[in-house]
């Protein structure tokens, strides 16, 4: 603990050391950035110098090359060579040969002798058959412009760079070379105009590594080669480049090199600047900044030590005071309330740490500040009357709301107790207790109760609540509508009197699901029954679900029942069941119901030894009615015909619409064939009367076929097939008649011929 106190008492020294270290790091970072900037600036400058030299040398070579091309073109034209010597030389060697740094242009024949001289009409005598440029052209191993090795001129003795092109005879054979020259002194003057500093140089290489010129000039270096070295590989790798190279200078110092290939010519210009020259200014700046940083770091540490010494002295003086205040503040800080004391002018004398939590103001910063500064204008305006009353010696207790430093709304109960000395009030003790949780619970309880009330008011089901004795405690509006009881009228009544379920089939009362839930028979009961309105007697089909209400100990305190009105659903279910077995247009039984009844009728006929008949009926000309009058009129005709069919048969018979204008009649329980024939004649008679279609009378015929059990088949499927075949025979035979199936291969017989009507 002693070590910890000693460490933290000297924390400013550690901070000063960290600041000093930061200054040192910042200095190092700054120096390094300055060095990088100096190096980048030199790189850009050297690249620009290399580019400038490339353009100057390239321009000179291009001008000289164009002149050489002109001389070659003139030499290969016989009409030019036939001109007088003075005119010929004027045409061949025009003013374009006045290229900076260039010498005379010589025309050498295929033996190496000078035959034409740009500087005089009488050519100077010399032979160049041993020169490298002459040899490569004579052997035919080179085309275009050739840049030779630097050599001393045989005419002037000056070092030159020969630039040559070959010319040819009319048959394409080698005729000689045209020799131009650039004095090496031209490159010395060009490179010497650059001030690159000590240890720097400018090189002009041929692309095969041959050194052509160097500045500062070293005559012994001319015609030396760097072929096969890493330096040449670096220069050949990129047309334009820049790099830092170690041990590149004569003294072995590091150099910054920037090079660029001279256009399309086999030359490379290289600018190499000494790193000492590049970084000379940086070295001076680094020394100045370094000395300043060391002084600044030492000053930080010294000031920190002086400050720590003064701080330790103050800590020693206030140690006893802090010890005395600690016990009091510890007690206040551990109270679950805001505790403070305000003098007669409402300036703070002390406060516990809870004020920091609520207002974001530590107790030390609050001391001496006016109450208005802490509470703010609006809250102070609310509390001021109570404070003034407390300063008059009256105890105050009230509730208020405020927003803490985190933006959270807090509810509090505030107590102001006057500090009375005799008859003088010296100040006010204030205690503020947070009751936010209690208020929140009250609000949540109210909101939950209101939400439940609105939910029960808004849902579409009836909700009924009872106590543990089965007495009604609540009805929602839907339950009032369903039962006919008002909530205030039903309150306290037994649930059996308000909601009594009846069996939908028998109408007898059913056990109350809500009573069963209260008695704990099941946790959740769901039944379907009928409820009758209290006053109107209106009948409602309902689905009732009841559940018990228990407290946290599991004891039943009541029950809640939910009644869902399913009257429409029940009606819809009955309607759907009816539509499943009856035709939607004519309300006649459909095929499914007909098959069920036919199977039952065949079983009874087989048991009783009786017979039954199946009739197939089709309206004649029904398609024409649809086409002429429309499908609506066709539907009316089908409905009217269905009603006439039902009137022509017995109650026990079944009339079915097979589809379209086809109908099937099932005649069970027949004694003999006469019963079926009698019904057939009645059906024919019903069709004889015109039908009324929207005031328009319409006569329509029908054709029918009959099959009898068991004579014509033992199953309903066989009977329908035979009756259908007989019906189609009736249609083909003239219609407006019934025919009886006569067996396989036999022609069906007409009913009236088989059994004529009596009389």
């Amino acid at each position: 603990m002693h070590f910890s106190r000693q460490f933290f008492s000297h924390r400013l020294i550690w901070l000063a050391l960290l600041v000093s270290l930061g200054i040192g790091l910042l200095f190092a970072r700054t120096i390094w950035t300055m060095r990088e900037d100096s190096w980048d600036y030199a790189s850009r400058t050297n690249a620009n110098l290399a580019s400038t030299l490339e353009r100057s040398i390239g321009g000179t070579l291009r001008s000289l090359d164009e002149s050489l091309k002109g001389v070659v073109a003139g030499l290969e034209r016989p009409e030019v060579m036939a001109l007088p010597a003075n005119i010929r030389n004027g045409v061949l060697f025009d003013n374009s040969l006045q290229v900076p740094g260039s010498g005379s242009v010589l025309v050498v024949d295929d033996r190496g002798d000078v035959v034409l001289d740009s500087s005089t009409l009488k050519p100077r005598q010399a032979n160049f058959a041993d020169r490298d440029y002459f040899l490569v052209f004579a052997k035919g191993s080179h085309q275009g412009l050739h840049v030779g090795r630097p050599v001393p001129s045989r005419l002037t003795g000056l070092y030159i760079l020969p630039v040559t092109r070959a010319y040819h005879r009319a048959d394409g054979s080698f005729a000689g070379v045209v020799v131009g020259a650039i004095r090496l002194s031209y490159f010395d003057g060009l490179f010497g105009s650059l001030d690159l500093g000590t240890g720097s140089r400018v090189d002009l290489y041929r692309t095969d590594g041959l050194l052509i010129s160097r500045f500062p000039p070293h005559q012994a270096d001319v015609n030396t080669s760097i072929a096969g070295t890493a330096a040449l590989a670096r220069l050949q790798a990129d047309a334009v480049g820049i790099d830092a190279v170690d041990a590149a200078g004569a003294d072995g110092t590091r150099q910054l090199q920037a090079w660029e290939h001279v256009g399309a010519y086999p030359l490379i210009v290289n600018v190499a600047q000494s790193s000492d020259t590049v970084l000379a200014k940086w070295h001076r700046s680094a020394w100045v900044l370094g000395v300043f940083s060391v002084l600044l770091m030492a000053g930080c540490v010294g000031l920190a030590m002086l400050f720590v010494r003064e701080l330790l002295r103050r800590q020693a003086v206030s140690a006893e005071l802090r010890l005395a205040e600690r016990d009091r503040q510890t007690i206040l800080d551990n109270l679950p309330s805001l505790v403070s004391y305000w003098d007669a002018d409402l300036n703070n004398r002390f406060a516990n740490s809870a004020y920091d939590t609520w207002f974001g103001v530590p107790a030390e910063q609050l001391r001496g500040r006016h109450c208005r500064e802490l509470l703010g204008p609006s809250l102070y305006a609310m509390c001021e009357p109570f404070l003034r009353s407390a300063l008059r010696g009256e105890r105050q207790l009230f509730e208020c709301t405020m927003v803490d430093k985190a933006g959270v709304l807090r509810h509090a109960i505030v107590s102001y107790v006057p500090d009375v000395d005799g008859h003088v009030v010296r100040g006010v003790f204030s205690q503020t207790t947070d009751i936010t949780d209690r208020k929140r619970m009250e609000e949540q309880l109210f909101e939950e109760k209101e939400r439940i009330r609105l939910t029960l008011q808004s849902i579409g089901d009836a909700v009924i609540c009872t106590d543990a004795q089965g007495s009604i405690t609540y009805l929602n509006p839907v339950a009032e509508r369903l039962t006919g009881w008002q909530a205030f009228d039903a309150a306290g009544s037994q649930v059996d009197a308000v909601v009594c379920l009846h069996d939908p089939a028998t109408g007898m009362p059913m056990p109350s699901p809500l009573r069963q839930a209260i008695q704990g028979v099941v946790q959740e009961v769901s039944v379907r029954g009928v409820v009758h309105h209290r006053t109107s007697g209106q009948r409602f089909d309902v689905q009732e679900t009841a559940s018990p209400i228990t407290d946290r100990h599991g004891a039943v305190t009541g029950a809640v029942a939910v009644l869902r009105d399913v009257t429409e659903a029940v009606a819809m279910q009955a309607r759907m069941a009816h539509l499943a077995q009856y035709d939607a247009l004519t309300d006649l039984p459909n095929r499914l119901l007909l098959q069920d009844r036919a199977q039952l009728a065949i079983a009874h006929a087989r048991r009783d030894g009786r017979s039954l008949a199946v009739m197939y009926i089709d309206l004649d000309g029904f398609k024409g009615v649809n086409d002429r009058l429309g499908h609506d009129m066709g539907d009316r005709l089908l409905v009217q015909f269905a009603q006439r069919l039902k009137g022509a048969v017995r109650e026990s018979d079944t009339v079915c619409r097979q589809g379209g204008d086809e109908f099937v009649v099932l005649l069970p329980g027949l004694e003999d064939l006469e019963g079926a024939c009698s019904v057939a004649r009645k059906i024919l008679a019903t069709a004889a009367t015109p039908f009324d279609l929207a005031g328009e009378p319409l006569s329509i015929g029908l054709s029918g076929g009959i099959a009898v059990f068991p004579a014509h088949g033992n199953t309903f499927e066989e009977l329908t097939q035979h009756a259908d075949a007989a019906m189609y025979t009736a249609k083909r035979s003239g219609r407006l008649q019934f025919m009886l199936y006569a067996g396989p291969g036999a022609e069906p017989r007409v009913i009236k011929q088989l059994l004529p009507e009596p009389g």
Side-chain angles (χ1 to χ4, degrees):
M1 181 65 69
H2 174 72
F3 173 77
S4 177
R5 288 197 302 268
Q6 184 179 14
F7 174 79
F8 285 107
S9 66
H10 294 83
R11 59 188 178 275
L12 287 178
I13 295 179
W14 290 102
L15 179 60
L17 292 175
L18 288 176
V19 172
S20 298
L21 180 60
I23 293 173
L25 293 175
L26 181 60
F27 160 74
R29 175 63 181 172
T30 302
I31 291 301
W32 181 257
T33 301
M34 291 173 60
R35 185 184 186 280
E36 292 296 317
D37 291 343
S38 298
W39 195 263
D40 290 343
Y41 176 77
S43 298
R44 292 192 300 271
T45 301
N46 288 354
N48 291 335
L49 290 176
S51 179
T52 301
L53 293 175
E54 182 275 334
R55 287 194 296 270
S56 179
I57 296 172
T60 299
L61 284 174
R62 278 190 296 274
S63 299
L64 183 56
D65 188 27
E66 290 299 323
S67 297
L68 296 181
K69 288 179 181 179
V71 174
V72 170
L75 291 172
E76 293 177 350
R77 293 173 60 188
E79 65 272 19
V80 173
M81 298 304 296
L83 294 173
N86 59 339
I87 299 176
R88 179 195 61 202
N89 280 18
V91 172
L92 292 176
F93 309 116
D94 59 6
N95 291 331
S96 62
L97 292 178
Q98 302 303 316
V99 178
S102 65
S104 300
V105 175
L106 303 177
V107 177
V108 179
D109 61 14
D110 56 357
R111 295 186 301 277
D113 295 325
V114 178
V115 294
L116 292 176
D117 190 342
S118 65
S119 60
T120 177
L121 290 177
K122 183 179 181 180
R124 289 168 288 181
Q125 297 302 309
N127 185 274
F128 299 98
D130 59 337
R131 296 297 196 190
D132 59 343
Y133 52 82
F134 183 87
L135 295 175
V136 296
F137 282 124
K139 294 177 181 179
S141 59
H142 187 80
Q143 298 292 328
L145 183 70
H146 181 271
V147 178
R149 300 170 60 89
V151 292
S153 174
R154 289 179 175 171
L155 299 178
T156 64
L158 300 176
Y159 263 88
I160 61 171
L161 177 66
V163 180
T164 58
R165 277 186 175 273
Y167 67 95
H168 300 82
R169 299 185 181 91
D171 59 359
S173 61
F174 174 69
V177 295
V178 179
V179 183
I182 300 176
R183 292 185 291 272
L184 294 189
S185 59
Y186 163 74
F187 297 115
D188 294 340
L190 182 63
F191 298 160
S193 62
L194 305 179
D195 184 11
L196 298 178
T198 304
S200 304
R201 72 177 194 275
V202 180
D203 301 321
L204 180 63
Y205 289 100
R206 208 163 61 178
T207 53
D208 59 358
L210 183 71
L211 179 65
I212 294 174
S213 178
R214 171 172 289 170
F215 188 88
H218 295 279
Q219 194 64 37
D221 292 338
V222 176
N223 278 326
T224 60
S225 177
I226 60 172
T229 64
L232 179 60
R234 183 171 60 254
L235 296 177
Q236 291 175 339
D238 297 307
V240 178
I242 187 166
D243 197 3
V245 181
D246 291 324
D251 55 358
T253 59
R254 186 175 178 81
Q255 290 185 335
L256 176 64
Q257 291 189 358
W259 67 89
E260 187 166 348
H261 289 214
V262 180
Y265 303 106
L267 297 177
I268 302 173
V269 61
N270 177 50
V271 178
Q273 189 174 21
S274 170
S275 61
D276 292 338
T277 302
V278 172
L279 300 177
K281 293 183 179 179
W282 173 79
H283 284 299
R284 291 193 295 271
S285 299
W287 274 106
V288 174
L289 289 176
V291 172
F292 178 76
S293 298
V294 170
L295 294 176
L296 186 59
M297 293 167 65
C300 287
V301 175
L303 289 175
M305 295 181 66
L306 292 175
F307 190 82
V308 167
R309 187 179 67 178
E310 180 65 19
L311 182 62
L312 291 175
R313 187 184 66 81
R314 289 176 178 271
Q315 289 176 347
V317 172
S318 61
E320 294 183 2
L321 180 60
R322 289 199 306 272
L323 185 62
E325 291 180 348
R326 185 184 62 183
D327 295 338
R328 183 193 69 179
Q329 197 66 37
T330 300
I331 296 173
L332 294 176
D333 289 344
N334 286 279
L335 291 176
S337 304
L338 282 76
V339 179
S340 59
Y341 180 85
W342 307 86
D343 61 19
D345 295 327
L346 297 181
N347 294 321
N348 182 263
R349 296 283 296 278
F350 69 83
N352 66 349
S353 61
Y355 277 87
D356 188 13
T357 304
W358 282 48
F359 295 96
V361 180
E364 295 79 6
Q365 297 181 14
L366 183 59
R367 188 169 302 166
R369 296 172 62 177
H370 195 272
C371 184
R372 184 186 297 105
E373 298 181 45
L374 175 70
L375 300 179
S378 58
L379 186 58
Y380 177 75
M382 189 271 291
C383 296
E384 185 180 18
F386 299 100
L387 286 169
R388 298 302 176 189
S389 298
L391 290 175
R392 292 194 295 269
E394 303 170 4
R395 288 175 173 262
Q396 301 293 313
L397 184 66
F398 62 95
E399 291 185 9
C400 69
T401 59
M402 63 185 71
V403 178
D404 65 11
K405 68 175 182 179
V408 178
L409 181 67
R410 291 179 179 265
H411 299 272
I413 183 168
V414 183
S415 171
Y416 291 151
V417 179
D419 178 18
V420 181
D421 184 7
H423 298 287
V424 179
V425 178
R426 298 185 177 276
V428 177
F429 289 97
S430 172
Q431 181 177 2
T432 303
T433 304
D434 187 4
I435 59 172
T436 303
D437 291 340
R438 189 186 77 185
K439 283 288 187 181
R440 185 180 296 112
M441 292 176 64
E442 291 175 356
E443 291 292 336
Q444 290 177 351
L445 182 61
F446 174 78
E447 291 176 1
E448 185 66 23
K449 185 175 180 180
E450 186 68 11
R451 184 161 47 249
I452 293 174
R453 185 185 69 82
L454 292 176
T455 301
L456 295 177
Q457 294 265 353
S458 303
I459 62 176
D461 296 333
V463 179
I464 301 170
C465 298
T466 69
D467 57 18
Q469 288 72 44
S471 299
I472 298 293
T473 58
Y474 176 78
L475 293 180
N476 74 340
V478 179
E480 292 179 342
R481 177 184 61 81
L482 203 64
T483 63
W485 287 77
Q486 297 295 320
F488 65 86
D489 192 17
S493 301
Q494 288 296 306
V495 66
D496 299 324
V498 177
V499 181
C500 183
L501 285 183
H502 295 82
D503 187 274
T506 64
M508 297 299 294
M510 298 172 60
S512 172
L514 198 143
R515 286 281 185 189
Q516 295 177 357
I518 292 175
Q519 295 167 4
V521 176
V522 290
Q523 284 297 314
E524 184 175 305
V525 186
S526 179
V527 297
R528 176 172 288 187
V530 175
V531 172
H532 294 283
H533 196 274
R534 178 187 183 190
T535 58
S536 67
Q538 183 179 358
R539 180 182 184 275
F540 295 97
D541 290 286
V542 297
Q543 180 76 35
E544 179 176 354
T545 303
S547 301
I549 301 174
T550 60
D551 59 16
R552 60 182 177 177
H553 303 294
V556 176
T557 60
V560 59
V562 177
L563 281 73
R564 175 165 295 175
D565 186 358
V566 294
T567 305
E568 294 184 2
V570 170
M572 179 61 70
Q573 184 177 2
R575 174 65 176 162
M576 295 302 293
H578 181 79
L579 290 176
Q581 294 184 325
Y582 288 85
D583 180 56
L585 177 63
T586 62
D587 202 33
L588 294 176
N590 60 13
R591 298 178 187 178
L592 182 63
L593 183 56
L594 174 64
Q595 288 178 351
D596 290 343
R597 291 184 179 181
Q599 298 297 338
L600 182 62
I602 291 173
H604 287 171
R606 187 177 287 114
R607 182 193 63 192
D608 299 337
R610 306 181 73 180
S611 66
L612 61 83
V614 176
M615 291 183 175
Y616 256 68
I617 302 171
D618 186 83
L619 297 180
D620 296 332
F622 179 73
K623 183 176 183 302
V625 175
N626 273 341
D627 295 341
R628 184 168 56 89
L629 301 178
H631 289 280
D632 290 342
M633 290 302 176
D635 290 345
R636 288 191 183 186
L637 174 60
L638 293 176
V639 172
Q640 292 183 28
F641 181 70
Q643 296 301 319
R644 293 187 184 187
L645 273 181
K646 290 176 65 177
V649 300
R650 302 168 298 176
E651 288 292 332
S652 59
D653 299 334
T654 299
V655 179
C656 167
R657 183 188 176 203
Q658 185 76 356
D661 59 342
E662 292 186 358
F663 295 84
V664 180
V665 180
L666 175 66
L667 305 174
L670 297 178
E671 296 293 340
D672 52 27
L673 187 59
E674 173 56 29
C677 295
S678 176
V679 173
R681 286 191 287 269
K682 288 182 181 181
I683 293 174
L684 285 172
T686 60
T689 304
F691 293 90
D692 183 12
L693 299 181
E696 180 179 346
L698 175 67
S699 296
I700 192 168
L702 58 84
S703 300
I706 302 174
V708 179
F709 172 84
H712 302 147
N714 291 319
T715 64
F716 179 66
E717 288 75 13
E718 292 178 352
L719 294 174
T720 56
Q721 291 176 5
H722 296 158
D724 187 38
M727 179 196 71
Y728 277 104
T729 301
K731 276 186 172 293
R732 292 194 301 270
S733 302
R735 304 187 177 184
L736 294 175
Q737 57 187 344
F738 271 88
M739 283 195 170
L740 178 68
Y741 181 73
E747 186 70 21
R749 291 171 290 176
V750 180
I751 291 294
K752 58 184 180 180
Q753 294 175 346
L754 182 67
L755 291 171
E757 292 185 21

